[in-house]
Amino acid sequence: VQLQASGGGFVQAGGSLRLSCTASGSAFAINSMDWYRQVPGMQRELVAEMTIGGSSRYVDSVKGRFTISRDEEKNILYLQMDSLKPEDSAIYYCHYDTQSASGWATDYWGQGTLVTVSS
């Protein structure tokens, strides 16, 4: 599986961005699809997760502002980010948690897309 993230940019506080993660290739099974973010010098943080069954969860700091979704036909994972705050500034990564037919778990990461929110 190859993941290509896009959609980052520069936005003023209160603005919106939509991140996209286009997946190519295939895996035997996908357990979940996620968005993480990382500020330089800090640990990577799980922002939003969607299971293959469609349930989703969010880190408390983005609840009510971010929405994770997926276009199954186009194989694109989205993160709609509204009411952005300066503390949302980070490099955002998409991630797939997959499983092979033999049961091996494999993580796939996109290359990251930079989001900068000015105050």
Side-chain angles (χ1 to χ4, degrees):
V1 177
Q2 293 80 44
L3 302 177
Q4 180 73 34
S6 61
F10 182 92
V11 65
Q12 289 190 327
S16 297
L17 285 173
R18 188 177 77 161
L19 306 183
S20 300
C21 177
T22 302
S24 58
S26 63
F28 179 75
I30 298 173
N31 297 320
S32 68
M33 299 154 287
D34 323 294
W35 286 97
Y36 284 75
R37 66 186 178 189
Q38 187 171 25
V39 175
M42 305 288 286
Q43 278 195 323
R44 196 169 291 189
E45 172 188 43
L46 176 61
V47 175
E49 176 185 60
M50 173 180 280
T51 67
I52 200 61
S55 61
S56 57
R57 63 186 180 104
Y58 302 88
V59 67
D60 286 346
S61 60
V62 308
K63 284 180 181 177
R65 300 188 297 120
F66 289 13
T67 304
I68 189 170
S69 63
R70 183 189 184 205
D71 185 326
E72 289 190 45
E73 186 174 333
K74 296 181 179 178
N75 223 1
I76 301 176
L77 181 71
Y78 297 104
L79 184 68
Q80 177 66 42
M81 306 187 295
D82 299 318
S83 303
L84 282 161
K85 304 176 181 181
E87 51 264 41
D88 294 319
S89 297
I91 300 172
Y92 283 72
Y93 299 88
C94 54
H95 166 260
Y96 274 34
D97 175 3
T98 72
Q99 191 168 7
S100 69
S102 57
W104 290 101
T106 303
D107 291 326
Y108 295 96
W109 293 91
Q111 85 285 8
T113 184
L114 177 64
V115 171
T116 304
V117 184
S118 66
S119 57

